Every structure is written in structure tokens, then in C-alpha cells.
């Protein structure tokens, strides 16, 4: 039942889950953000149209996005073993999480950046802004509220993926839910993990929305 | 720079846009010279190619054919880096203001200075000065969303001239503003032109804007310049169909006046204090029907036009016209078959 030992285990599960999710999100953004920006810039209406780069990148993103996470998770195990040295545990789960969510984040970033008023971009170009400065002085700051909302969506999606990884020996709350809730039918532990997951998702979503609202000066 | 050499010179500029299944000629063989210190108006209806034309001047649009010379440099010969440098000496303002929405007013004005590599302190000092000049010292820390249209355009103007450009391009800069605000923005532009000697190019579809501040005007229709010259000349005696349409505002206005003779008389700096028309009526004891009038009093002088219907009596009409001639009021008969 819910004794001290179980609670300690759930506590450890929460920390592991947060660790997996946060590290994965940061790594996935490190890959997805530049890809998203390149997708916008090389678009045929972008500031540096380049159809070949755009098409190839778009294809790779769609390809990875169309593989269900459970399948992707299994098929990247050789890569995981190369990088982390093992395919089990919390750190090992980060690899498939990043591979699965980076393309998703690229699309989120792409759609946020595309919301920036083309008139503002034109004005910035008319003032002699080069591509690089346009990205970090105009596109990202102007899209910031939308990027933050996208961040909240991304982090909750990654949380969902991380729970799934419990099936192939990933750590965290997903692992607990699978082992105790599924294999041993201890429904009270399952209920607690589900409740905790709901609270975490709500927390991230709420935090993201508040940050976005506070950072938006367009009121 | 020598006054005899234009600051912007377009030769044979043609722009073709390729759409899905057709080609659209936005500009056809445009030659245009704009000299230092001028306020040059380019007028035309929507779709005439005005916006494309002004964007060719800073190469936001690259012409399909032809050359654009800015300050002695052929823009097509420049590397990207050089082109960016040139753009810093060409300010631009827009119909929709296009301010950075996530930056304060002050930071918006600082933006072009940041791009030009001006140190932050210096940039902020200059931005404060500029905002004072456009009358927004109290809005420095506001965000654009908190400003009215006219205030936004003032910020945009301050931003556009922050890097001390040689030319300021205005793309329908007053089209989203009400008439009063339009007037105040036009006054500000005139001020800037006189104070700093910045050449101003104004794109508009409104003749009022041209009349208010431009020295010269070019009329654009279907991608071609159909008429150009000093504003007074084009205004008094428009030669092209498009010119006549713009000056008369619309064809319908006089088509409804039957077959009687209608004259357009133009006031071009006569004393506003002499009531010419009412004196004429008093002298000839004959009624004159005023169909349309748009007269402005600028510095005690009358500028504008009036459509009048004279009596059917031919001799009387002749005498009245002579009366107008003597007072150097120009007139022309308006044809009815509009």
C-alpha cells in the first residue's frame, strides 16, 4: 500500500521524470530551434529562399514525425547504446526523447516564427538588417510569446513520451506506472502516478501560459 | 552632393512578377530622377506599381531589368554587406507603421542604431532627442500597442531618420490615418525635409497628400509613369487621363450636370482675401453655379480648384471668362462625356 517506501519511490520517480523531461526538452530545442528557423528562412517566401534545403529538411522532419514514438524508441536503441552506453534507465531514455521531439519542436518553432508580421520583417530589412541579426533581434524577440506557448506544449508532449518509455526500461513515473500499475495491478499506485503526472502537466502548461502572457507587450 | 546630380536615379527599371501561370508586369521601363532635398510624390491607384517602385529604390525588390543608382552607386553592383550599409542611409516608413511590438518606443528608435553598430549609450541619447523632436518624450517607455496610429507613425519616423539617412521613403505613410493626423504627419515630414535636408519620396493614392507637401509628382498607371512635373503644373493642367482623373477626383462628379458648360477654375496663389467669384457675380449680375470647390488658404494665398457652371448666354460667359483671366485665374472647359 502507500507506505513510506512507496512514497519515496514515487518521489524518486518524480525527480527522474523531471530530469528526463527537462534535459530532453533543452537538448531537443538545441536541435529543433535552429531547424525551425532554417525552415522559415529557406521557405519560398522567406528571407533567404532555398527550396532544396527547405524540401530536404522538411522531408526529414516529416519522416521522424510520422514514426510512432514507441517504434522510434525501439529502433534507435543502437544509437542510444553508442551515446549513453546502455539502453536502460533515465539517461538512456533521453536519446529517443530528443530524437522524437526535436522535429516536433522544429514545426512548433516554424509556426511561431511565421506569425511574425511580414511588415515588421520588411521594415527591419529596409533598415539594413542582415539575416543573422534579423533572427536574433527581430524574429525570436517578436515571436517570443508564441515560442513560450510552444515550449509549454513541447514539454508536456515530452512528458507523455517519457511515460511511455517505461515499457522498455526507461525510468521515472512511467516506469512505476508500468511495473506496479500494469504488471502487478496495484491500482492505487497507478492512480497516484497518474495524479502526479496530471499535476506536472497542468503546472507546466499554466507556467508557460503565464510567462507568455507576461512577456507579450501587444496587449 | 552636387545639386545637378540626382540622389536617386532609375533607368529603364522593369519588374516582372512570376505567378503560378502568368507573368505580371508591375513596372515597365521606368526612368526617374530624384534630386537632393526634394519632396517627390509618386501617385497612382492601387495596383499601379507604386509600392514596387519604392521598394526598387532600396532593393527590397530587385528590378528584373534596368538600373537603380543611389548616391552615385549602382545598387546591382553592391555585395550584400554593402547593400545593407546603403540601406542604413535610406529610411523607410510604412502604412502599417511596422514597429517592433515587443520593444519599447525608445528601443524601437534605437534599433537601426544597434544595427549600425552605434554604442548603446549614444544610441539611447540620440533616440531620446529624436522622440523629443517628434513630440513623444512622454511615451519613451511605452510599447507600440499603447499608442495611437499617429503616435506610432511618429515613432516610425523617428526610427527611420535615426541613422541620419539621405533619403526617406514613405509608403502610403498616411493612408491609415484620419485627416487631422495626416496633416500633422505631413507637417512633420516637411519639417524634417527642411531641417535636415532629407530627400523625401512619398507614395500615395491621395492627391491631397501630394498637394500638401510635394515639390514634384509622377503619376503612375499600370506600371508606367504617364505624367510628371512640378506639382503646380500637373495640378493646374493635367495632361494625362490618369492625371485628370486624380485632379478631378472622379469622373462622376461632373457627369451629372447635363449639357451646360462647366468650367474648372484653378486658384494657384491668388490672394485669398479677394472674393473673385462673388465679385464676378456682383459685377455681371448673373448667377454662377458652384458645383464643386476645394480651396485651401495657404499663407494668405488661395490654392485649389472649383467647378462652376456659367450662364447659358454666350456673351456673358465670354465676359466672365475674361474677368477671370484678368485676375490671372486659370480655367478650362470641362468636357461632359466623362
Amino acid at each position: 500500500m502507500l507506505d513510506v517506501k512507496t512514497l519515496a519511490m514515487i518521489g524518486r520517480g518524480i525527480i527522474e521524470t523531471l530530469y528526463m523531461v527537462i534535459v530532453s526538452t533543452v537538448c531537443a530545442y538545441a536541435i529543433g530551434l535552429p531547424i525551425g528557423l532554417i525552415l522559415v528562412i529557406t521557405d519560398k517566401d522567406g528571407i533567404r529562399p532555398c527550396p532544396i534545403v527547405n524540401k530536404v529538411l522538411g522531408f526529414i522532419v516529416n519522416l521522424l514525425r510520422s514514426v510512432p514514438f514507441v517504434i522510434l524508441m525501439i529502433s534507435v536503441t543502437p544509437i542510444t547504446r553508442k551515446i549513453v552506453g546502455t539502453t536502460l534507465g533515465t539517461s538512456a531514455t533521453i536519446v529517443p526523447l530528443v530524437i522524437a521531439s526535436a522535429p516536433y519542436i522544429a514545426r512548433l518553432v516554424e509556426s511561431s516564427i511565421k506569425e511574425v508580421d511580414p511588415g515588421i520583417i520588411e521594415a527591419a530589412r529596409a533598415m539594413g538588417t542582415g539575416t543573422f541579426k534579423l533572427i536574433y533581434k527581430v524574429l525570436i524577440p517578436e515571436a517570443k510569446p508564441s515560442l513560450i506557448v510552444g515550449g509549454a506544449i513541447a514539454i508536456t508532449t515530452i512528458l507523455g513520451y517519457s511515460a511511455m518509455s517505461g515499457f522498455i526500461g526507461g525510468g521515472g513515473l512511467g516506469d512505476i506506472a508500468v511495473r506496479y500499475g500494469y504488471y502487478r495491478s496495484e491500482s492505487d499506485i497507478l492512480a497516484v502516478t497518474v495524479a502526479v503526472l496530471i499535476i506536472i502537466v497542468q503546472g507546466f502548461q499554466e507556467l508557460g501560459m503565464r510567462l507568455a502572457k507576461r512577456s507579450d507587450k501587444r496587449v | 552632393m552636387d545639386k545637378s546630380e540626382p540622389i536617386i536615379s532609375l533607368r529603364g527599371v522593369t519588374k516582372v512578377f512570376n505567378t503560378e501561370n502568368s507573368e505580371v508586369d508591375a513596372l515597365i521601363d521606368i526612368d526617374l530622377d530624384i534630386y537632393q532635398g526634394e519632396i517627390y510624390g509618386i501617385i497612382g491607384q492601387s495596383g499601379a506599381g507604386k509600392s514596387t517602385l519604392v521598394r526598387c529604390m532600396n532593393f527590397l525588390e530587385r528590378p528584373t531589368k534596368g538600373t537603380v543608382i543611389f548616391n552615385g552607386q549602382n545598387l546591382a553592383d553592391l555585395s550584400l554587406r554593402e547593400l545593407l550599409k546603403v540601406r542604413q542611409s535610406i529610411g523607410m516608413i510604412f502604412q502599417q507603421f511596422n514597429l517592433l511590438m515587443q520593444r519599447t518606443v525608445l528601443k524601437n528608435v534605437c534599433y537601426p542604431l544597434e544595427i549600425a553598430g552605434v554604442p548603446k549609450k549614444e544610441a539611447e541619447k540620440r533616440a531620446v532627442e529624436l522622440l523629443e523632436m517628434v513630440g513623444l518624450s512622454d511615451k519613451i517607455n511605452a510599447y507600440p500597442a499603447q499608442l495611437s496610429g499617429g503616435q506610432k507613425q511618429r515613432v516610425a519616423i523617428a526610427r527611420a531618420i535615426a541613422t541620419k539617412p539621405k533619403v526617406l521613403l514613405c509608403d502610403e505613410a498616411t493612408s491609415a490615418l484620419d485627416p487631422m493626423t495626416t496633416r500633422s504627419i505631413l507637417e512633420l515630414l516637411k519639417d524634417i525635409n527642411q531641417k535636415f535636408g532629407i530627400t523625401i519620396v512619398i507614395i500615395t493614392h491621395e492627391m491631397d497628400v501630394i498637394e500638401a507637401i510635394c515639390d514634384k509628382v509622377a503619376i503612375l498607371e499600370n506600371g508606367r509613369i504617364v505624367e510628371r512635373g512640378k506639382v503646380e503644373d500637373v495640378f493646374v493642367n493635367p495632361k494625362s487621363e490618369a492625371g485628370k482623373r486624380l485632379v478631378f477626383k472622379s469622373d462622376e462628379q461632373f457627369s451629372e450636370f447635363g449639357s451646360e458648360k462647366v468650367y474648372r477654375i484653378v486658384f494657384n496663389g491668388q490672394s485669398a482675401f479677394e472674393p473673385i467669384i462673388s465679385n464676378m457675380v456682383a459685377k455681371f449680375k448673373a448667377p454662377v453655379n458652384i458645383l464643386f470647390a476645394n480651396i485651401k488658404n495657404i499663407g494668405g494665398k488661395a490654392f485649389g480648384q472649383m467647378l462652376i457652371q456659367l450662364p447659358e448666354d454666350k456673351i456673358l460667359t465670354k465676359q466672365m471668362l475674361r474677368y477671370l483671366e484678368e485676375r490671372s485665374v486659370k480655367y478650362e472647359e470641362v468636357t461632359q462625356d466623362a
Side-chain angles (χ1 to χ4, degrees), chain B residues 281-301:
Chain B
V281 173
K283 184 172 174 185
F284 296 102
K285 308 232 169 1
V288 168
N289 193 10
I290 297 174
L291 302 173
F292 170 80
N294 182 17
I295 314 282
K296 292 184 186 87
N297 180 351
I298 302 171
K301 289 181 169 180

Side-chain angles (χ1 to χ4, degrees), chain B residues 42-46 48-54 172 203-205 220:
Chain B
I42 296 166
I43 187 166
Q45 276 154 351
S46 54
K50 307 176 297 256
S51 288
T52 310
L53 179 58
V54 78
E172 296 276 11
I203 298 292
T204 183
H205 65 275
L220 203 61

Side-chain angles (χ1 to χ4, degrees), chain B residues 265-280:
Chain B
I265 62 178
V266 178
F267 294 92
N268 194 27
Q270 286 83 12
S271 169
F273 304 112
E274 188 193 345
I276 292 177
I277 300 296
S278 74
N279 281 354
M280 183 170 81

